Amino acid sequence: MEEELKCPVCGSLFKEPILLPCSHNVCLACAKSISVHTPDGEPPVQQSRASASSDYDYLLDVDKMSLYSETDSGYGSYTPCQLKSPNGVRVFPPSSAAAAQRLCSLTCPLCHRSVSLDERGLRSLPRNRLLEAIVARYQQHRAASAAASSSGAPKCQLCDRNPVDAAVMCEQCDVFYCNACQQRCHPSRGPLAKHRLVAPSGSQQQPGQAATGQPPATPRKPATCVEHEAENFVMFCCSCRAPVCTKCMEEGRHSKHDIKPLALMWKQHKCQLSQALNGVSDKAKDAKEFLVQLKNMLQQIQESGVEFEACLVAQCDSLIEALTRQKAKLLTKVTKEKEYKLKVARDQITHCTIKLRQTTGMMEYCLEVLKENDPSGFLQISDALIKRVTSSQDQWVKGNLEAKVGPEFHLTLNTDSLLQTILQLDFCQGKVETGPSVPPAPLLQLEKCCSRNNSATLAWRVTAPQANPIEGYILELDDGNGGQYREVYVGKETVCTVDGLHFNSSYNTRVKAYNAVGVGPYSKTVVLRTSDVAWFTFDPTSAHRDIVLSNENQTVSCNSYDDRVVLGTAAFSKGVHYWEVCIDRYDNHPDPAFGIARINTVKDMMLGKDDKAWAMYVDNNRSWFMHNNSHTNRAEGGITKGSTVGVLLDLIKHTLTFFVNKEQHGPTAFESLEGVFMPAVSLNRNVQVTLSTGLELPKSRKQ
């Protein structure tokens, strides 16, 4: 409350406050200092009377102003000077005693509204006796509190050691000083010259003060009329908003005004003020509760910030961990590919070395035979040697002198889209909805989405919690050519693998969530591309029970003398595909068959004998195409141990082409070659073959 009781000009407690028309208050002495004077040419009016009791009565008669002249608007103004009060308000100190007699107007230091003074000067402004009484009570209460809190005289608050009794107290600074500290820290010059220094409250007892330190209460004189000092206020003019006495009403000044009893208006305004205070009290109570909430929010913000930082670190760590796991998987694939290439190359080196050693030995033997001069002995063995040399020459065909694998790794890792996503990683600004609503668009997790062969795996999550729980998700893919979307999954899982896609195709995929309210919006579209070439193995789940798989399901043999069928794990319905089979073991001239088949082909007889398989069966001398037990397109050229058989499936032209040791057999067209097909092999216990996949199309093939 103390700030309400201080003058805005001097910064001290009000002393003889006067009430301005704008409802602000200033001390009487301060009102003199901020008044604006008339020019020196105006004749002064002699002072008619003066009051010895106060400065308020001193200004009974002042200059008569030209308030009603043609050049006077009736409003005063002033230009701020360089001097300031302790509260920062610019003031005009009077230059002389004569200047005090030339008052014209003054401006409120708070709202800067000007008020013109009449011939009565400052006496025309009412004295705020109520504020005076409140200031007096406040001073008495502060003095009593100071006396009760201190057993003796107050001490200087600036002495470092052994503080001495205070000599003065600054009302503006509210600090007790001894003489030495006052001269050093609070000199009476500069900006501190306007501060009021008073004697400490507990240092001496004022005259008339009781022994307890509480000054005796003095009865307040009733307020009297300014015009008629002997008359008390009895009525209140609602038009002038001022109390009036009986003589004021008799003189007719307020004859046409709304006059009401002073006591009635007093009670009415008290009631209005009480009601207004009740409203302000409620607002203050709300403000206190709001401050408590804000202070509690500080701790909550601190805790939430720590929790959110930990969550962010965990999310980033999970991304790094997922990338590390994927890196390990990719390295494993590269290692397998490297080991496979090394194994094929080493096997080919071993095989070629053995054949070269045999050929070299035979050549040396033949050279020795040629040195013999016995014709009969030479002719006895020459036919056999000629056949052996011819047979050996046939073994060194072009295919056996070509490397089965190359040094290049045809594996491409495209990280551009993932890197772009990481660079665009940012927070999503949004407020969690509390009312019923459809789910938001799911966020596809690119770090978990991948494609392998003709399969695609997608993962997603919801970015914000929902008032209505999500009941499921709908995953949609197009046809791989930018066509219509179709639903491929409906369920509650957030990870889905879609099989049976086309190789060398790009699929657009999207997902949406639904709950009891409805179906939410789609996620952003993600493009997944299937492999350019097929990587697959033999399928142990669909193979005949006599089939034996090894080498991670890439090598197949059989326990039966009868032909048994084994299928591959890949399924083809579109495009052009090529794979090879290497003959690891070939005994007793069996007839293995190589080709394609549907999933429900018969698996206990040679491939191609039913209407669900298309194949080429081959022995050591020749080969035939076979479908539905129909044998066609016989071709010369068979297989031995170490031979390779390539299968070229063209589902665009609906043809099958075979390559025996790089020599092309076909192509052969089949009108019924439509649908979904899997690589297939049939063999018995005399044959063992190894599958090679992920190969490029033969460059030397004939159309």
Side-chain angles (χ1 to χ4, degrees):
M1 186 180 69
E2 185 174 352
E3 294 299 323
E4 295 286 336
L5 304 180
K6 288 185 178 181
C7 175
V9 178
C10 64
S12 303
L13 296 177
F14 283 109
K15 185 177 182 181
E16 297 181 346
I18 58 175
L19 183 63
L20 302 180
C22 59
S23 300
H24 294 133
N25 299 275
V26 293
C27 297
L28 179 60
C30 297
K32 299 175 186 178
S33 65
I34 64 175
S35 301
V36 179
H37 307 98
T38 59
D40 294 338
E42 293 292 338
V45 177
Q46 297 295 328
Q47 188 175 3
S48 61
R49 56 182 175 178
S51 174
S53 60
S54 66
D55 292 337
Y56 184 80
D57 297 329
Y58 168 76
L59 296 172
L60 178 63
D61 293 330
V62 294
D63 294 348
K64 290 185 178 181
M65 308 296 175
S66 57
L67 298 175
Y68 308 102
S69 65
E70 294 180 357
T71 60
D72 192 5
S73 64
Y75 293 90
S77 63
Y78 76 102
T79 302
C81 69
Q82 299 301 319
L83 297 179
K84 293 185 179 180
S85 72
N87 283 4
V89 180
R90 300 180 185 275
V91 299
F92 288 84
S95 60
S96 64
Q101 297 179 352
R102 296 194 299 274
L103 300 176
C104 177
S105 65
L106 61 86
T107 302
C108 175
L110 294 179
C111 64
H112 305 293
R113 290 178 57 184
S114 298
V115 55
S116 299
L117 303 175
D118 58 15
E119 65 276 3
R120 295 176 295 170
L122 292 177
R123 188 178 175 81
S124 62
L125 300 176
R127 187 168 172 175
N128 195 339
R129 299 181 183 275
L130 183 63
L131 181 57
E132 272 189 284
I134 295 175
V135 171
R137 287 201 304 269
Y138 178 75
Q139 288 177 326
Q140 292 175 4
H141 176 73
R142 189 170 65 173
S145 300
S149 61
S150 177
S151 59
K155 301 295 183 180
C156 176
Q157 294 178 289
L158 296 183
C159 290
D160 295 334
R161 297 179 180 178
N162 301 323
V164 299
D165 293 343
V168 293
M169 185 196 76
C170 177
E171 287 189 343
Q172 284 73 35
C173 302
D174 198 16
V175 177
F176 290 98
Y177 300 93
C178 64
N179 289 328
C181 293
Q182 187 266 325
Q183 293 295 330
R184 184 176 69 255
C185 303
H186 200 290
S188 299
R189 61 179 180 273
L192 302 176
K194 292 294 182 178
H195 287 205
R196 180 178 298 178
L197 301 177
V198 298
S201 300
S203 60
Q204 59 182 357
Q205 186 172 342
Q206 300 295 332
Q209 184 175 347
T212 60
Q214 181 70 25
T218 57
R220 193 190 317 166
K221 294 180 180 181
T224 58
C225 181
V226 178
E227 299 290 336
H228 313 94
E229 295 183 354
E231 297 292 331
N232 295 331
F233 293 120
V234 293
M235 304 298 287
F236 185 82
C237 178
C238 296
S239 301
C240 300
R241 308 299 299 174
V244 296
C245 64
T246 306
K247 288 188 177 182
C248 290
M249 292 187 295
E250 292 175 355
E251 291 175 356
R253 294 184 181 180
H254 307 276
S255 58
K256 296 182 180 181
H257 293 180
D258 185 12
I259 305 297
K260 292 186 179 181
L262 184 64
L264 177 63
M265 293 301 296
W266 178 45
K267 292 181 180 179
Q268 181 179 350
H269 280 225
K270 271 196 170 183
C271 181
Q272 292 178 359
L273 180 59
S274 298
Q275 292 177 354
L277 281 177
N278 289 335
V280 174
S281 176
D282 294 339
K283 296 298 182 183
K285 183 179 179 181
D286 295 341
K288 289 181 180 179
E289 294 177 354
F290 180 63
L291 283 175
V292 172
Q293 294 177 2
L294 289 179
K295 291 179 181 179
N296 293 335
M297 191 183 297
L298 293 177
Q299 182 64 23
Q300 294 175 359
I301 291 174
Q302 184 71 19
E303 295 175 356
S304 299
V306 173
E307 182 180 354
F308 190 80
E309 289 175 358
C311 180
L312 176 62
V313 171
Q315 288 178 315
C316 293
D317 290 344
S318 64
L319 292 178
I320 296 173
E321 183 181 355
L323 186 60
T324 303
R325 290 197 302 266
Q326 194 65 21
K327 172 185 174 183
K329 291 181 180 179
L330 295 176
L331 287 175
T332 302
K333 289 184 178 180
V334 174
T335 302
K336 287 184 178 180
E337 178 68 11
K338 179 183 69 175
E339 292 176 351
Y340 167 74
K341 286 178 175 289
L342 291 174
K343 180 180 181 300
V344 173
R346 290 189 182 109
D347 291 345
Q348 192 171 10
I349 290 173
T350 302
H351 181 71
C352 186
T353 301
I354 294 173
K355 292 178 65 175
L356 181 60
R357 185 184 303 116
Q358 293 174 350
T359 303
T360 303
M362 183 187 64
M363 291 173 57
E364 293 176 352
Y365 175 70
C366 291
L367 290 175
E368 293 298 326
V369 170
L370 290 174
K371 294 178 182 180
E372 293 295 328
N373 295 323
D374 183 4
S376 60
F378 178 83
L379 293 175
Q380 187 178 4
I381 62 173
S382 61
D383 291 337
L385 283 178
I386 292 172
K387 289 183 179 179
R388 287 186 59 191
V389 171
T390 303
S391 176
S392 177
Q393 184 178 359
D394 293 339
Q395 290 181 358
W396 294 101
V397 295
K398 185 177 180 181
N400 289 334
L401 296 177
E402 292 181 358
K404 295 182 179 180
V405 294
E408 300 85 5
F409 285 79
H410 300 287
L411 301 174
T412 303
L413 183 62
N414 186 5
T415 60
D416 294 341
S417 59
L418 180 59
L419 181 60
Q420 186 68 19
T421 303
I422 293 175
L423 295 177
Q424 294 177 353
L425 191 64
D426 201 352
F427 297 107
C428 297
Q429 296 290 342
K431 185 176 180 181
V432 178
E433 299 180 0
T434 56
S437 61
V438 298
L443 177 64
L444 283 166
Q445 298 178 277
L446 299 182
E447 70 277 6
K448 296 182 179 179
C449 297
C450 62
S451 61
R452 183 179 183 274
N453 277 342
N454 60 339
S455 299
T457 300
L458 298 108
W460 58 88
R461 62 182 176 88
V462 177
T463 57
Q466 292 296 303
N468 300 91
I470 295 176
E471 296 181 359
Y473 303 91
I474 300 175
L475 179 64
E476 297 182 356
L477 269 74
D478 66 359
D479 59 357
N481 292 320
Q484 295 292 329
Y485 283 89
R486 68 185 191 280
E487 294 183 1
V488 296
Y489 172 75
V490 178
K492 295 183 178 180
E493 299 296 331
T494 57
V495 178
C496 177
T497 299
V498 183
D499 298 319
L501 303 177
H502 298 308
F503 285 91
N504 194 21
S505 301
S506 296
Y507 286 87
N508 296 307
T509 178
R510 63 188 184 183
V511 64
K512 58 184 177 181
Y514 62 89
N515 58 12
V517 179
V519 181
Y522 284 106
S523 65
K524 292 183 178 180
T525 301
V526 173
V527 179
L528 290 178
R529 183 174 181 82
T530 54
S531 300
D532 295 337
V533 295
W535 296 83
F536 58 92
T537 62
F538 291 116
D539 184 12
T541 59
S542 62
H544 193 276
R545 61 179 179 273
D546 293 333
I547 292 293
V548 178
L549 297 177
S550 60
N551 189 24
E552 297 182 349
N553 297 332
Q554 292 180 331
T555 300
V556 59
S557 59
C558 182
N559 291 329
S560 174
Y561 285 103
D562 297 324
D563 290 312
R564 300 292 186 244
V565 174
V566 59
L567 303 179
T569 55
F572 304 119
S573 59
K574 174 185 174 183
V576 182
H577 309 278
Y578 179 74
W579 64 95
E580 291 181 350
V581 176
C582 179
I583 310 300
D584 299 330
R585 180 168 53 84
Y586 186 76
D587 302 328
N588 301 324
H589 309 297
D591 300 326
F594 311 94
I596 58 173
R598 301 188 190 275
I599 185 66
N600 57 346
T601 187
V602 179
K603 299 181 178 63
D604 56 359
M605 61 183 181
M606 180 182 289
L607 187 69
K609 286 196 172 184
D610 61 356
D611 61 349
K612 297 179 178 59
W614 295 257
M616 176 195 73
Y617 70 93
V618 58
D619 58 14
N620 62 324
N621 291 319
R622 60 191 67 82
S623 63
W624 294 265
F625 284 91
M626 184 167 63
H627 169 64
N628 199 15
N629 206 22
S630 174
H631 306 254
T632 59
N633 297 4
R634 173 179 170 177
E636 297 298 325
I639 59 173
T640 61
K641 180 181 178 182
S643 299
T644 58
V645 177
V647 182
L648 177 63
L649 172 63
D650 189 341
L651 291 172
I652 299 176
K653 298 180 179 180
H654 305 289
T655 60
L656 261 177
T657 306
F658 297 91
F659 296 84
V660 179
N661 295 323
K662 305 301 181 181
E663 293 184 6
Q664 181 172 335
H665 294 203
T668 301
F670 296 93
E671 295 181 358
S672 59
L673 200 59
E674 293 183 356
V676 179
F677 306 94
M678 283 159 283
V681 173
S682 68
L683 71 171
N684 60 18
R685 65 182 305 164
N686 293 315
V687 183
Q688 176 178 304
V689 299
T690 297
L691 179 66
S692 297
T693 61
L695 305 177
E696 296 182 356
L697 301 181
K699 297 180 180 179
S700 60
R701 71 182 188 275
K702 302 176 184 178
Q703 301 297 328

